[in-house]
Amino acid sequence: MKAFSYERIDDAAQAAARAFEVPGSKFIAGGTNLLDLMKHEIEVPAHLIDINGTGLDDIVETDEGGLRIGALVSNTALGADERIRRDYPVLSRALFSGASSQLRNKASTGGNLLQRTRCPYFYDPAMPCNKREPGAGCAALDDGADTRQLGVIGTSDHCIATHPSDMAVALRVLDAEVETISPEGQTRRLTLDEFYPLPGDTPEVESALEPGEIITGVVLPAPVGGRQRYYKVRDRASYAFALVSVALVETDDGKGRVALGGVAPKPWRRDDADAELGNGAQAVMAKLLDGARPTEENAYKLTLAERTLAALLAKE
Amino acid sequence: MDFNQSADENLFDRARIIGKPHTRVDGALKVTGTAPYAYERHDVAENPLVGYPLGSSIAKGRITRMDATAARSAEGVVAVITALDIDELPRPESNVAKLFGGDIVEHYHQAIAVVIAGTLEQARAATRLIEVEYEETPGEFDLDDAWKRLQDRDVVSHVGDVDAAFERADVTLDEIYHTSSQSHAMMEPHATIADWCDGKNLTLWTSNQMIEWSRQGLATIFEMDPEHIRLESPYIGGGFGGKLWVRADAVLAALGSRETGRPVKVALPRPFIFNNATHRSGTVQRLRIAANKDGRITAFDHSAISHTLPGGSGEDAVNQTRCFYAGENRRVAHHAIDMNLPESADMRAPGEATGLAVLEIAMDEMAEKLGMDPVEFRILNDTQVNPEEPEKRYSDRHFVECLQKGAEVFGWSERNKTPGSRREGQWLIGQGMAGAYRGAPTLDSGARVHLQNGRLIVETDMTDIGTGSYTIIAQTAAETMGLEMSDVDVRLGNSAYPSASGSGGQMGAASSTAGVYAACVALQGEIEKRLGIESARFENGRVVAAGTDLALGEVANGEEIVGEDTLHFGDFKDELEIGTFAAHFVEVAVHAYTGETRLRRTLSVCDAGRILNPITARSQVLGGMTMATGAALTESLNIDTARGFFPNHDLAGYEIAVHADIPDQEVIFLDTQDGASAPLKAKGVGELGICGGAAAIANAMYNATGIRLRDYPMTLDRMLDRLPGA
């Protein structure tokens, strides 16, 4: 771990301004991912700005009938919130399928969105990784690499990492928006699709956040109702990242929405795939996974995604 | 004391304390976090410096340049020792890869430098400042390639005429199986505090299963008199064979202390557990079985390969096939292939765990081909002699009773016999079973006991790696001396104490307690001599003989009396097969759409001689079955065949079973005693539980799905296309 300076700032706008001003700044909230990465020197911030005092830890109702979730609301608090469990159960289920209770107690909503990939080559500083060191190359793309967990769609010739969040997959299916404030004090809202860029030839860029810009919260639109499910498939029963996860909102008229986790650099959803829901899992995946470029080792994810959705749609 | 014939009726048959369910004597220390583990020995080494290792980032080649200038001047750094600063250190016989020194790189994450600094953070940060240049050479990393290339495999043994038996047989099986490389992944990493400040006497507080082996190993490495080396390892947070020998933590800490003149502590970072330390090699195995249509096996033909660094022995998966089941003809072969992955070595039930994972699937397949119940098939092919050497009989083998008891308790007769036909909602339900065999070796073991004012202090270099050694040794001493458990203090894991078996090969329980028994008998002799009596009885805390009835605390007016002895196991044991046996029964659920597999219940029925303590023994079997669950379903050191290392080198990427994976587990011990094993008539159980467990799960999955998997771990991607879904 490299030496770093540390300060607490209790106002989001001031924190943003300060981060913009000090080169190499990072925000820290729960620290569940950042501290690990700092120990490996995968993250080497020169300055940490602790935002735990900013008060962004409420869940409040919006004028539109939705909820605004403060960036610091813990994964545990969010998943257990009565309104979330009643009106957005897919989100609650996604949250409780992730990590461990200890981690969920510390992990924040904003931090969850910004957690970094679990690609083993990203995690090994001796390996070339374009995310860690732009231009270094990608060990995961070499023949013989261990790619069973890695991405099958939305990837590029520079990076095939996945985004590891469960929460973000549920937020994507719920059409949630990320709310931010800039160093100049400007606020904006981004859909999850806008928030997460694809890697292309800049896999080190993992969000649309501008320098200093800070997540203040996540806004859920009014409840969409329907039958909501989150199915996370993994090798062991707990404490593992998804091989594939499916977030599903299914309404009585046979319509609905589907988002996938564990397959792409971002929560994966397409409107034209949603439109196929009435035609079954195969039809949905034909659209949703169109253009997939799996490796030999992870091609099973295409089958698994379809079968997982089929399990959710099955009336048994 | 010599153990030259099978034990007859003796004092342990009283079973006043031996065999009773005593809770762990060190339990309170463990659950309160106050048992001092090696890295936390602040009581013995105040303010130690901290060492952090740097591992090679290539698998094979040589280092052409190292520049530690920046690291040496980094904040807090006291010393940096690079591999180019010293000659290659000599290797003990048991270590295949070198531990440190010289320019040659033999495997990924081989230690090539250590930074010694004031804090862990300073040391770790400075390792990143060391510049290294390599000249890389191509290596061999792909076991399947080796299997394809290999024509002539070493025949270990060939009895009868296997080829003729296969030609004659009514029913035959011939299949290829794979097992993955596995990591011990113990909770406590390898860790050592070393004090070599005077450059003469080296003391290590370390985490090690085998004190004397390691003391001798260090003497070889540092070319010094073992009398100048002291090791202490009283508490060990898991070993599973990964801590049988000296590893880089001990060597780097010692070098650091000699260099700086201060105590130095080094723990291997978690990724080093996978690529710097040892692991269990993966295997490719071909297994052929021939049988008559009545179900009697006529031949086994089992060949396997595993990987090793040049000079090692790999994972011998065929050994148990030589003796477990009847059959006149058999041929086994194991070939350890020289490859350039990290060092493969012993892990819990080395050989048997991977060999039985395959043999017991093959037995299930064979039973099906024969149209027989797999339990009945095994009973029919039981043997009471080593089939390779029929004059060599099993000393005490109750495998059939394990099978029968297990079938009865599990409800085996109720099971669905048509694979893939029992469904609950989206889950396919299946039941399977497997047999288990693990040898029961023993090693000469010594101990010293002190009687001080009626309290008994036991000292032996035996270790407790979480197994319960403290407790069973206290039970043995209390039983022998007629004392209560509360009268006995046990001190372990110190090279100043008499040498015992250590913890490995499930030898510890039977061996070390025998040594403690011998020392107690020596003490009794001393007491008799002191009192001038003969044939004394030791009971109720008193020594009783003709004309004498004295509390032990009053012997010699409370002056200390010491007894010391080593129990030597005699050659007569070589004339016998001494083993442990089990039958595992498992119920699983496999998701019909996704292939997720979850255990529902397990039952293990074990025949392992006298069970010294049913609580700690049960824990061993549960742990073995838990580890078998990992081996069956999730654990795999994935190999990057381009770069030659295990990329999933942390506990997120290498998936051991977690609590949610483990359902109701039941263990039944048969009430057996094996006088040929040891004076206490006990055998080991530490490795029995992992033997066969993975195959029981595999067979249950087959029963659930109708899909036969022959490659471990049996992850969902191996069967997804063949599952029914709706």
Side-chain angles (χ1 to χ4, degrees), chain B residues 29-76:
Chain B
L29 288 176
K30 296 284 176 69
V31 298
T32 56
T34 48
Y37 289 89
Y39 202 71
E40 304 157 343
R41 292 301 298 273
H42 308 298
D43 55 323
V44 292
E46 220 172 308
N47 294 321
L49 294 169
V50 181
Y52 198 85
L54 178 67
S56 163
S57 60
I58 64 163
K60 187 166 186 274
R62 54 183 284 271
I63 304 164
T64 53
R65 189 182 77 92
M66 289 184 86
D67 184 350
T69 314
R72 288 198 166 94
S73 59
E75 191 185 339

Short mmCIF file of all heavy atoms in Angstrom, two decimals, chain B residues 29-76:
data_model
loop_
_atom_site.label_atom_id
_atom_site.label_comp_id
_atom_site.label_asym_id
_atom_site.label_seq_id
_atom_site.Cartn_x
_atom_site.Cartn_y
_atom_site.Cartn_z
N LEU B 29 -9.48 -21.09 24.37
CA LEU B 29 -8.47 -20.23 23.76
C LEU B 29 -8.81 -19.93 22.30
O LEU B 29 -8.62 -18.81 21.81
CB LEU B 29 -7.09 -20.90 23.80
CG LEU B 29 -6.39 -21.01 25.15
CD1 LEU B 29 -5.09 -21.78 25.00
CD2 LEU B 29 -6.12 -19.62 25.73
N LYS B 30 -9.32 -20.94 21.63
CA LYS B 30 -9.61 -20.77 20.20
C LYS B 30 -10.79 -19.81 20.00
O LYS B 30 -10.72 -18.89 19.20
CB LYS B 30 -9.93 -22.12 19.56
CG LYS B 30 -8.78 -23.12 19.55
CD LYS B 30 -7.74 -22.78 18.51
CE LYS B 30 -6.53 -23.69 18.54
NZ LYS B 30 -6.81 -25.05 18.12
N VAL B 31 -11.87 -20.06 20.75
CA VAL B 31 -13.06 -19.26 20.47
C VAL B 31 -12.97 -17.85 21.04
O VAL B 31 -13.72 -16.97 20.63
CB VAL B 31 -14.36 -19.95 20.96
CG1 VAL B 31 -14.56 -21.27 20.23
CG2 VAL B 31 -14.36 -20.16 22.46
N THR B 32 -12.02 -17.63 21.95
CA THR B 32 -11.85 -16.26 22.44
C THR B 32 -10.73 -15.54 21.71
O THR B 32 -10.39 -14.40 22.03
CB THR B 32 -11.54 -16.24 23.95
OG1 THR B 32 -10.38 -17.07 24.18
CG2 THR B 32 -12.71 -16.77 24.76
N GLY B 33 -10.14 -16.22 20.74
CA GLY B 33 -9.09 -15.56 19.95
C GLY B 33 -7.81 -15.35 20.73
O GLY B 33 -6.99 -14.50 20.38
N THR B 34 -7.61 -16.10 21.80
CA THR B 34 -6.42 -15.88 22.62
C THR B 34 -5.35 -16.96 22.45
O THR B 34 -4.31 -16.89 23.08
CB THR B 34 -6.80 -15.78 24.12
OG1 THR B 34 -7.68 -16.87 24.43
CG2 THR B 34 -7.53 -14.48 24.39
N ALA B 35 -5.62 -17.96 21.63
CA ALA B 35 -4.55 -18.93 21.32
C ALA B 35 -3.50 -18.19 20.49
O ALA B 35 -3.83 -17.62 19.46
CB ALA B 35 -5.11 -20.11 20.53
N PRO B 36 -2.25 -18.17 20.96
CA PRO B 36 -1.25 -17.38 20.24
C PRO B 36 -0.72 -18.08 19.00
O PRO B 36 0.02 -19.06 19.10
CB PRO B 36 -0.15 -17.18 21.29
CG PRO B 36 -0.29 -18.33 22.23
CD PRO B 36 -1.72 -18.78 22.19
N TYR B 37 -1.09 -17.61 17.84
CA TYR B 37 -0.58 -18.14 16.57
C TYR B 37 0.75 -17.46 16.24
O TYR B 37 1.10 -16.43 16.81
CB TYR B 37 -1.61 -17.93 15.46
CG TYR B 37 -2.82 -18.84 15.63
CD1 TYR B 37 -3.91 -18.44 16.39
CD2 TYR B 37 -2.83 -20.11 15.07
CE1 TYR B 37 -4.99 -19.29 16.57
CE2 TYR B 37 -3.91 -20.96 15.25
CZ TYR B 37 -5.00 -20.54 16.01
OH TYR B 37 -6.06 -21.38 16.19
N ALA B 38 1.49 -18.09 15.35
CA ALA B 38 2.89 -17.72 15.13
C ALA B 38 3.08 -16.23 14.89
O ALA B 38 3.96 -15.60 15.48
CB ALA B 38 3.45 -18.51 13.94
N TYR B 39 2.26 -15.64 14.05
CA TYR B 39 2.47 -14.25 13.65
C TYR B 39 2.17 -13.28 14.79
O TYR B 39 2.49 -12.11 14.72
CB TYR B 39 1.58 -13.94 12.45
CG TYR B 39 2.02 -12.78 11.59
CD1 TYR B 39 3.16 -12.90 10.80
CD2 TYR B 39 1.32 -11.58 11.56
CE1 TYR B 39 3.58 -11.85 9.99
CE2 TYR B 39 1.73 -10.53 10.76
CZ TYR B 39 2.86 -10.68 9.96
OH TYR B 39 3.28 -9.64 9.17
N GLU B 40 1.54 -13.81 15.85
CA GLU B 40 1.09 -12.94 16.94
C GLU B 40 1.89 -13.17 18.21
O GLU B 40 1.45 -12.81 19.30
CB GLU B 40 -0.39 -13.23 17.24
CG GLU B 40 -1.28 -13.07 16.03
CD GLU B 40 -2.58 -13.84 16.14
OE1 GLU B 40 -2.68 -14.75 16.99
OE2 GLU B 40 -3.50 -13.53 15.38
N ARG B 41 3.08 -13.79 18.09
CA ARG B 41 3.84 -14.10 19.30
C ARG B 41 4.58 -12.87 19.83
O ARG B 41 5.80 -12.85 19.94
CB ARG B 41 4.79 -15.26 19.04
CG ARG B 41 4.10 -16.59 18.80
CD ARG B 41 3.23 -17.04 19.97
NE ARG B 41 3.98 -17.25 21.19
CZ ARG B 41 4.60 -18.38 21.52
NH1 ARG B 41 4.53 -19.42 20.73
NH2 ARG B 41 5.25 -18.48 22.66
N HIS B 42 3.82 -11.86 20.16
CA HIS B 42 4.43 -10.64 20.69
C HIS B 42 5.03 -10.88 22.07
O HIS B 42 5.86 -10.12 22.54
CB HIS B 42 3.40 -9.52 20.74
CG HIS B 42 2.71 -9.31 19.44
ND1 HIS B 42 3.38 -8.94 18.30
CD2 HIS B 42 1.41 -9.47 19.08
CE1 HIS B 42 2.52 -8.86 17.29
NE2 HIS B 42 1.33 -9.18 17.74
N ASP B 43 4.60 -11.99 22.71
CA ASP B 43 5.13 -12.29 24.03
C ASP B 43 6.59 -12.73 23.96
O ASP B 43 7.34 -12.51 24.90
CB ASP B 43 4.29 -13.41 24.67
CG ASP B 43 4.21 -14.67 23.80
OD1 ASP B 43 4.14 -14.52 22.56
OD2 ASP B 43 4.22 -15.78 24.35
N VAL B 44 7.00 -13.31 22.85
CA VAL B 44 8.37 -13.81 22.76
C VAL B 44 9.28 -12.89 21.96
O VAL B 44 10.50 -12.91 22.12
CB VAL B 44 8.42 -15.22 22.14
CG1 VAL B 44 7.80 -16.24 23.09
CG2 VAL B 44 7.75 -15.26 20.78
N ALA B 45 8.72 -12.12 21.07
CA ALA B 45 9.56 -11.27 20.21
C ALA B 45 8.92 -9.89 20.13
O ALA B 45 8.03 -9.64 19.33
CB ALA B 45 9.67 -11.88 18.82
N GLU B 46 9.39 -9.02 20.97
CA GLU B 46 8.79 -7.69 21.04
C GLU B 46 9.24 -6.86 19.84
O GLU B 46 10.41 -6.91 19.44
CB GLU B 46 9.25 -7.01 22.33
CG GLU B 46 8.14 -6.23 23.00
CD GLU B 46 8.58 -5.73 24.37
OE1 GLU B 46 9.06 -6.58 25.16
OE2 GLU B 46 8.47 -4.54 24.61
N ASN B 47 8.31 -6.11 19.30
CA ASN B 47 8.63 -5.22 18.17
C ASN B 47 9.45 -5.87 17.07
O ASN B 47 10.51 -5.36 16.70
CB ASN B 47 9.36 -3.97 18.67
CG ASN B 47 8.46 -3.12 19.53
OD1 ASN B 47 7.28 -2.98 19.22
ND2 ASN B 47 9.01 -2.61 20.60
N PRO B 48 9.01 -6.95 16.56
CA PRO B 48 9.77 -7.54 15.45
C PRO B 48 9.67 -6.66 14.21
O PRO B 48 8.71 -5.91 14.04
CB PRO B 48 9.08 -8.88 15.22
CG PRO B 48 7.68 -8.67 15.69
CD PRO B 48 7.77 -7.69 16.83
N LEU B 49 10.67 -6.76 13.37
CA LEU B 49 10.55 -6.16 12.05
C LEU B 49 9.64 -7.06 11.21
O LEU B 49 9.42 -8.23 11.55
CB LEU B 49 11.92 -6.04 11.39
CG LEU B 49 12.90 -5.08 12.09
CD1 LEU B 49 14.31 -5.24 11.51
CD2 LEU B 49 12.42 -3.63 11.94
N VAL B 50 9.14 -6.51 10.11
CA VAL B 50 8.21 -7.26 9.29
C VAL B 50 8.82 -7.47 7.91
O VAL B 50 9.30 -6.53 7.28
CB VAL B 50 6.87 -6.52 9.15
CG1 VAL B 50 5.90 -7.33 8.31
CG2 VAL B 50 6.28 -6.25 10.53
N GLY B 51 8.80 -8.70 7.47
CA GLY B 51 9.29 -9.01 6.13
C GLY B 51 8.14 -9.25 5.18
O GLY B 51 7.10 -9.79 5.58
N TYR B 52 8.30 -8.84 3.94
CA TYR B 52 7.28 -9.11 2.92
C TYR B 52 7.99 -9.65 1.69
O TYR B 52 8.98 -9.10 1.24
CB TYR B 52 6.52 -7.83 2.58
CG TYR B 52 5.20 -8.10 1.87
CD1 TYR B 52 4.06 -8.37 2.60
CD2 TYR B 52 5.13 -8.07 0.49
CE1 TYR B 52 2.85 -8.62 1.96
CE2 TYR B 52 3.92 -8.33 -0.16
CZ TYR B 52 2.78 -8.60 0.59
OH TYR B 52 1.58 -8.85 -0.04
N PRO B 53 7.49 -10.76 1.16
CA PRO B 53 8.20 -11.39 0.04
C PRO B 53 7.79 -10.82 -1.31
O PRO B 53 6.67 -10.34 -1.50
CB PRO B 53 7.74 -12.85 0.15
CG PRO B 53 6.36 -12.76 0.72
CD PRO B 53 6.34 -11.54 1.60
N LEU B 54 8.70 -10.93 -2.24
CA LEU B 54 8.39 -10.66 -3.64
C LEU B 54 8.48 -11.98 -4.38
O LEU B 54 9.45 -12.73 -4.20
CB LEU B 54 9.38 -9.65 -4.23
CG LEU B 54 9.20 -9.32 -5.72
CD1 LEU B 54 7.90 -8.56 -5.96
CD2 LEU B 54 10.38 -8.49 -6.24
N GLY B 55 7.48 -12.28 -5.21
CA GLY B 55 7.48 -13.52 -5.97
C GLY B 55 7.83 -13.27 -7.42
O GLY B 55 7.59 -12.18 -7.96
N SER B 56 8.35 -14.30 -8.05
CA SER B 56 8.66 -14.20 -9.48
C SER B 56 7.38 -13.98 -10.27
O SER B 56 6.34 -14.55 -9.96
CB SER B 56 9.32 -15.50 -9.94
OG SER B 56 9.25 -15.58 -11.35
N SER B 57 7.48 -13.17 -11.32
CA SER B 57 6.30 -12.96 -12.17
C SER B 57 6.39 -13.80 -13.44
O SER B 57 5.55 -13.66 -14.32
CB SER B 57 6.14 -11.48 -12.51
OG SER B 57 7.28 -11.03 -13.20
N ILE B 58 7.38 -14.67 -13.52
CA ILE B 58 7.42 -15.64 -14.62
C ILE B 58 7.45 -17.05 -14.02
O ILE B 58 7.75 -17.23 -12.84
CB ILE B 58 8.64 -15.46 -15.56
CG1 ILE B 58 9.96 -15.72 -14.80
CG2 ILE B 58 8.63 -14.07 -16.18
CD1 ILE B 58 11.14 -15.95 -15.71
N ALA B 59 7.17 -18.04 -14.87
CA ALA B 59 7.12 -19.41 -14.37
C ALA B 59 8.46 -20.11 -14.50
O ALA B 59 8.79 -20.99 -13.71
CB ALA B 59 6.05 -20.20 -15.13
N LYS B 60 9.23 -19.74 -15.50
CA LYS B 60 10.46 -20.50 -15.75
C LYS B 60 11.46 -19.59 -16.46
O LYS B 60 11.09 -18.88 -17.40
CB LYS B 60 10.14 -21.72 -16.64
CG LYS B 60 11.30 -22.67 -16.84
CD LYS B 60 10.81 -24.00 -17.43
CE LYS B 60 11.92 -25.03 -17.49
NZ LYS B 60 12.71 -24.91 -18.71
N GLY B 61 12.68 -19.67 -16.02
CA GLY B 61 13.73 -18.87 -16.65
C GLY B 61 14.78 -18.47 -15.63
O GLY B 61 15.01 -19.19 -14.65
N ARG B 62 15.39 -17.31 -15.88
CA ARG B 62 16.36 -16.82 -14.89
C ARG B 62 16.24 -15.31 -14.77
O ARG B 62 15.75 -14.62 -15.66
CB ARG B 62 17.77 -17.25 -15.24
CG ARG B 62 18.25 -16.90 -16.63
CD ARG B 62 19.65 -17.45 -16.88
NE ARG B 62 20.65 -16.63 -16.21
CZ ARG B 62 21.23 -15.57 -16.77
NH1 ARG B 62 20.95 -15.22 -18.01
NH2 ARG B 62 22.11 -14.86 -16.09
N ILE B 63 16.69 -14.86 -13.64
CA ILE B 63 16.69 -13.42 -13.38
C ILE B 63 17.99 -12.87 -13.95
O ILE B 63 19.08 -13.37 -13.64
CB ILE B 63 16.64 -13.14 -11.87
CG1 ILE B 63 15.43 -13.82 -11.24
CG2 ILE B 63 16.61 -11.65 -11.60
CD1 ILE B 63 15.51 -13.90 -9.70
N THR B 64 17.87 -11.87 -14.80
CA THR B 64 19.09 -11.30 -15.38
C THR B 64 19.54 -10.03 -14.64
O THR B 64 20.71 -9.67 -14.68
CB THR B 64 18.88 -10.94 -16.86
OG1 THR B 64 17.72 -10.12 -16.96
CG2 THR B 64 18.68 -12.22 -17.67
N ARG B 65 18.59 -9.39 -13.97
CA ARG B 65 18.97 -8.16 -13.26
C ARG B 65 17.95 -7.87 -12.16
O ARG B 65 16.75 -8.07 -12.36
CB ARG B 65 18.98 -6.97 -14.23
CG ARG B 65 19.58 -5.68 -13.65
CD ARG B 65 19.50 -4.55 -14.68
NE ARG B 65 18.15 -4.00 -14.78
CZ ARG B 65 17.72 -2.96 -14.06
NH1 ARG B 65 18.51 -2.34 -13.20
NH2 ARG B 65 16.48 -2.52 -14.19
N MET B 66 18.44 -7.47 -11.02
CA MET B 66 17.56 -6.97 -9.97
C MET B 66 18.15 -5.68 -9.43
O MET B 66 19.35 -5.62 -9.18
CB MET B 66 17.42 -7.99 -8.82
CG MET B 66 16.62 -9.22 -9.19
SD MET B 66 16.37 -10.33 -7.77
CE MET B 66 14.89 -9.62 -7.03
N ASP B 67 17.30 -4.68 -9.26
CA ASP B 67 17.78 -3.42 -8.70
C ASP B 67 16.85 -3.04 -7.54
O ASP B 67 15.69 -2.72 -7.75
CB ASP B 67 17.77 -2.33 -9.78
CG ASP B 67 18.35 -1.02 -9.24
OD1 ASP B 67 18.56 -0.91 -8.01
OD2 ASP B 67 18.58 -0.10 -10.05
N ALA B 68 17.40 -3.12 -6.34
CA ALA B 68 16.60 -2.83 -5.14
C ALA B 68 16.95 -1.48 -4.54
O ALA B 68 16.63 -1.20 -3.38
CB ALA B 68 16.79 -3.94 -4.12
N THR B 69 17.62 -0.64 -5.33
CA THR B 69 18.07 0.66 -4.78
C THR B 69 16.91 1.46 -4.21
O THR B 69 16.98 1.95 -3.09
CB THR B 69 18.76 1.48 -5.90
OG1 THR B 69 19.67 0.61 -6.59
CG2 THR B 69 19.51 2.65 -5.32
N ALA B 70 15.86 1.57 -4.99
CA ALA B 70 14.73 2.39 -4.53
C ALA B 70 14.07 1.77 -3.31
O ALA B 70 13.67 2.48 -2.37
CB ALA B 70 13.72 2.54 -5.67
N ALA B 71 13.98 0.44 -3.30
CA ALA B 71 13.35 -0.24 -2.16
C ALA B 71 14.18 -0.02 -0.90
O ALA B 71 13.64 0.21 0.19
CB ALA B 71 13.21 -1.73 -2.44
N ARG B 72 15.48 -0.09 -1.04
CA ARG B 72 16.35 0.05 0.14
C ARG B 72 16.24 1.44 0.75
O ARG B 72 16.42 1.61 1.96
CB ARG B 72 17.81 -0.23 -0.24
CG ARG B 72 18.08 -1.71 -0.51
CD ARG B 72 19.56 -2.08 -0.46
NE ARG B 72 19.68 -3.53 -0.41
CZ ARG B 72 19.85 -4.31 -1.49
NH1 ARG B 72 19.97 -3.75 -2.68
NH2 ARG B 72 19.90 -5.62 -1.36
N SER B 73 15.97 2.44 -0.08
CA SER B 73 15.88 3.79 0.49
C SER B 73 14.45 4.20 0.79
O SER B 73 14.20 5.33 1.17
CB SER B 73 16.55 4.79 -0.47
OG SER B 73 15.91 4.72 -1.72
N ALA B 74 13.51 3.26 0.63
CA ALA B 74 12.11 3.61 0.91
C ALA B 74 11.90 3.74 2.42
O ALA B 74 12.64 3.18 3.22
CB ALA B 74 11.19 2.52 0.34
N GLU B 75 10.85 4.48 2.75
CA GLU B 75 10.57 4.78 4.15
C GLU B 75 10.39 3.50 4.97
O GLU B 75 9.66 2.59 4.57
CB GLU B 75 9.29 5.61 4.23
CG GLU B 75 9.06 6.18 5.62
CD GLU B 75 7.71 6.91 5.70
OE1 GLU B 75 7.18 7.29 4.65
OE2 GLU B 75 7.21 7.06 6.83
N GLY B 76 11.08 3.44 6.08
CA GLY B 76 10.90 2.34 7.02
C GLY B 76 11.67 1.07 6.69
O GLY B 76 11.71 0.14 7.50
#
